[in-house]
Amino acid sequence: MIPPARTLKFLGTAGARFVVSTQLRHSGGLVWTLDGTTVWVDPGPGALVRALASRPRVDPAKIDALVVTHRHLDHAGDATAIVEAMSNGGFSPRGTLLAPRDALEDEPVVFRYAQRFVARRLVLAEGSRHELAPGVFLETPLAHDHGIETYGYRLSAPGFTAGHVVDTFWMDALPRAYAGVDLLVVNTTREHGRDRKYLHLGADDAEALVGEIKPRVAVLTHLGMQLARGRAEELALAISGRTGVPTVAARDGWLLDLDELEAAATRRRVPPRRPRGDDAR
Ligand SMILES: [Zn+2]
């Protein structure tokens, strides 16, 4: 079978400290493949192991770009390991590293010696737009409200745009910043947002985003302790019902076919009978 040309692999769906430290869900981040360009976003602790164990296997040596949206552990724990793997241990510099300035300089999430191993090091900033490969663009429209420099992103290839709203407190500018996307991925750490103690979105915020943006499909990920054991799936189903947008909760190991978004979302909503392989959570 010919593999789909455009996919999104969830190497991990864990959100925030406790789910990560207990590995109740994995924290490997996301891997996008768009027309031969592979982009790994937010590799937390264990990301390299999850990539090598996943089926089909994600080959770190073939990663073209590594994006770290902010310098928290659950987004950056394995970043140096990924850079070494994608650059043949630094012996053949290749690929692109993108991160906020404070994650490259103030508190380097990729150790300084390893930052030289990539062919391009790009700084994410509000309004920046980078071409990762011909026709594949990564834009960071908005500085998020998350305590440290943090950027969500829009990733586009001809005829397709995805938006990934990463960690943030609610901002009225969010819907417009991520408007017009085919696929909306929302880091939904809690059931209810708008508590400045956490600076994370809740499922209520995710619903507001989905309802305003109206993507073809929405996916909740970066799920926190409150959303364990089926709660994320329940909330996603409720969001689907109220907004009319097929919305699903991601699972560890899930490979989403971006060419068949609606069909893939429908399949995902049917609970698996028996967990197996790396989709076991
Ligand atoms: Zn964070």
Side-chain angles (χ1 to χ4, degrees), residues 3-4 6-10 31 33 55-56 58 251-258 264 267 279:
R6 294 179 172 177
T7 58
L8 170 58
K9 175 85 172 178
F10 290 85
V31 179
T33 301
R55 297 290 175 269
V58 172
R251 287 174 87 89
D252 290 342
W254 185 34
L255 182 70
L256 171 57
D257 181 350
L258 301 174
R267 278 198 298 276
D279 195 25

Side-chain angles (χ1 to χ4, degrees), residues 212-225:
E212 277 206 57
I213 294 170
K214 296 269 184 206
R216 285 164 51 205
V217 165
V219 176
L220 312 182
T221 189
H222 204 262
L223 306 162
M225 214 62 176

Side-chain angles (χ1 to χ4, degrees), residues 14-29:
R17 272 163 271 185
F18 297 111
V19 178
V20 173
S21 56
T22 56
Q23 287 291 292
L24 201 60
R25 293 175 189 267
H26 302 158
S27 43

Side-chain angles (χ1 to χ4, degrees), residues 166-202:
V166 303
D167 302 6
T168 189
F169 188 75
W170 174 262
M171 302 170 78
D172 290 339
L174 287 171
R176 186 202 273 248
Y178 298 95
V181 297
D182 297 287
L183 169 67
L184 182 69
V185 180
V186 184
N187 284 9
T188 309
T189 310
R190 308 172 53 74
E191 188 152 346
H192 302 287
R194 320 233 180 170
D195 180 345
R196 287 211 68 86
K197 206 165 113 198
Y198 299 103
L199 299 178
H200 275 294
L201 294 174

Side-chain angles (χ1 to χ4, degrees), residues 2 8 10 47 72 77 88 104 115 151 171-172 185 215 225 262:
I2 304 162
L8 170 58
F10 290 85
H72 279 157
N88 185 27
L104 293 169
Q115 289 190 27
Y151 301 99
M171 302 170 78
D172 290 339
V185 180
M225 214 62 176
E262 286 82 358

Side-chain angles (χ1 to χ4, degrees), residues 70 72 74-75 146 148 167 200 222:
H70 63 290
H72 279 157
D74 50 336
H75 298 257
H146 192 52
I148 53 170
D167 302 6
H200 275 294
H222 204 262

Side-chain angles (χ1 to χ4, degrees), residues 89-104:
F91 287 106
S92 35
R94 60 175 288 280
T96 306
L97 168 65
L98 304 99
R101 188 173 296 283
D102 71 355
L104 293 169

